[in-house]
Amino acid sequence: MFKKAVIAAASVAALLSLSSAAYAQCGGASWYGPGFNGKVAASGEVFNQNAMTAAHRTLPFGTKVEVTDQRTGKSVEVTINDRGPFHGKRIIDLSKGAAAALGFQNRGVTSVCIAQK
């Protein structure tokens, strides 16, 4: 039990010591837009499904991240302005415009890596 607590504490310390430029994460991505367009996002901004924005569970609002589709190598820069995704193990929910720019709008989901700008 003690060993697990030490490992957990070390992991938290390592995460907290990362500079903002060092933030990186890979996992699933989905997109959203219809049904939310024109409504207020968690940041207080009015959501525009065609803007280059995204939802992330923990990154501060206004954070810019580069999202790279692992299948195609295409990248876009988005600004975090909402919270989510809340489905499965996805790490980011992109606006419809960002998904279209990456080319996965028709698939609905893809594998990405995100890096803070």
Side-chain angles (χ1 to χ4, degrees):
M1 183 69 167
F2 178 73
K3 184 177 180 181
K4 287 182 183 179
V6 170
I7 291 170
S11 297
V12 169
L15 286 172
L16 292 175
S17 69
L18 289 175
S19 70
S20 60
Y23 182 87
Q25 187 178 21
C26 295
S30 52
W31 66 270
Y32 70 119
F36 295 96
N37 196 50
K39 295 185 178 179
V40 178
S43 65
E45 293 178 26
V46 175
F47 178 71
N48 175 351
Q49 69 180 356
N50 298 310
M52 300 302 278
T53 60
H56 190 274
R57 289 185 189 100
T58 59
L59 286 173
F61 297 133
T63 300
K64 294 190 182 303
V65 294
E66 181 177 45
V67 181
T68 303
D69 188 322
Q70 292 185 295
R71 295 177 72 179
T72 65
K74 290 182 182 178
S75 294
V76 296
E77 183 177 301
V78 298
T79 303
I80 304 299
N81 74 337
D82 208 358
R83 290 291 172 230
F86 300 109
H87 181 73
K89 295 182 180 180
R90 296 178 191 160
I91 62 167
I92 197 163
D93 223 353
L94 300 168
S95 64
K96 179 180 176 183
L102 285 176
F104 80 93
Q105 183 181 348
N106 291 336
R107 287 196 317 270
V109 296
T110 195
S111 294
V112 300
C113 286
I114 63 174
Q116 190 168 346
K117 298 296 284 184

